[in-house]
């Protein structure tokens, strides 16, 4: 299993490349998608899933472009509605990538569809939580954004 963070300091944006047994998942991809395709080619792997933790208002995601180029499935959490093809996951739904599993944890607050993704390794041990803008080191994402946008 390989997990690589791809961080863009100017946007404070972290994307993740996860590979196991020739299958890849990308979480919150940046707009420039060739880097993911090149990494997968170097690993002799196929990009299977593109996970989005939430709708991003502060940067342009490359999920649609990456899905078109690779045939990977875009996955959002519950309540997500889009004008393009994607899989609206259910809370607790699991996705296999090689020997690992990614579990959907619906965590509405920052946005209504905000979702964390819990990675379980090949031994069945939960090892990594990809929290998007739900949790930060020493802080939490702003839940007032979703409330304001929906008049809640």
């Amino acid at each position: 299993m390989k997990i690589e963070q791809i961080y863009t300091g100017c946007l404070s944006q972290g994307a993740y490349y996860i590979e196991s047994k020739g299958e890849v998942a990308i979480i919150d991809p940046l707009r420039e998608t060739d880097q993911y395709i090149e990494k997968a080619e170097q690993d002799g792997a196929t990009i299977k899933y593109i996970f989005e933790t939430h709708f991003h208002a502060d940067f342009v995601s490359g999920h649609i472009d990456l899905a078109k180029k690779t045939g990977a499935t875009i996955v959002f959490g519950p309540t997500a509605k889009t004008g393009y093809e994607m899989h609206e996951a259910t809370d607790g739904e699991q996705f296999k990538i090689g020997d690992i599993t990614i579990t959907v944890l619906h965590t509405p607050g920052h946005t209504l569809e905000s979702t964390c993704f819990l990675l379980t390794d090949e031994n069945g041990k939960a090892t990594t939580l990809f929290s998007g803008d739900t949790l930060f080191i020493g802080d939490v994402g702003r839940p007032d954004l979703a409330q304001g946008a929906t008049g809640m």
Side-chain angles (χ1 to χ4, degrees):
M1 173 180 62
K2 171 181 171 180
I3 301 173
E4 183 178 342
Q5 183 187 55
I6 301 161
Y7 191 77
T8 302
C10 63
L11 295 174
S12 297
Q13 164 58 25
Y16 297 89
Y17 173 94
I18 305 160
E19 187 274 333
S20 175
K21 299 287 186 178
E23 294 183 334
V24 173
I26 307 294
I27 298 179
D28 290 340
L30 301 169
R31 177 68 189 110
E32 299 77 26
T33 59
D34 289 341
Q35 61 189 324
Y36 308 113
I37 295 167
E38 291 168 9
K39 284 180 188 301
E41 287 173 355
Q42 290 169 359
D43 288 341
T46 302
I47 299 174
K48 186 175 181 180
Y49 295 110
I50 303 161
F51 293 98
E52 287 284 3
T53 57
H54 65 292
F55 293 122
H56 305 282
D58 51 355
F59 76 96
V60 177
S61 175
H63 61 295
I64 295 171
D65 183 51
L66 188 58
K68 285 180 183 175
K69 289 179 178 177
T70 65
T73 301
I74 299 170
V75 179
F76 274 97
T79 75
K81 302 296 179 225
T82 69
Y84 49 85
E85 189 173 327
M86 63 90 178
H87 176 80
E88 181 185 341
T90 58
D91 187 44
E93 187 171 349
Q94 296 187 326
F95 297 84
K96 291 293 288 178
I97 295 101
D99 284 343
I100 63 173
T101 302
I102 293 182
T103 303
V104 173
L105 303 174
H106 187 210
T107 51
H110 181 62
T111 62
L112 297 179
E113 80 290 340
S114 284
T115 300
C116 294
F117 298 104
L118 180 63
L119 186 147
T120 304
D121 69 13
E122 60 277 359
N123 298 314
K125 181 179 179 190
T127 63
T128 311
L129 180 71
F130 301 94
S131 62
D133 287 350
T134 303
L135 296 173
F136 300 108
I137 297 171
D139 207 352
V140 297
R142 292 181 56 192
D144 60 313
L145 297 177
Q147 294 170 359
T150 60
M152 296 174 82

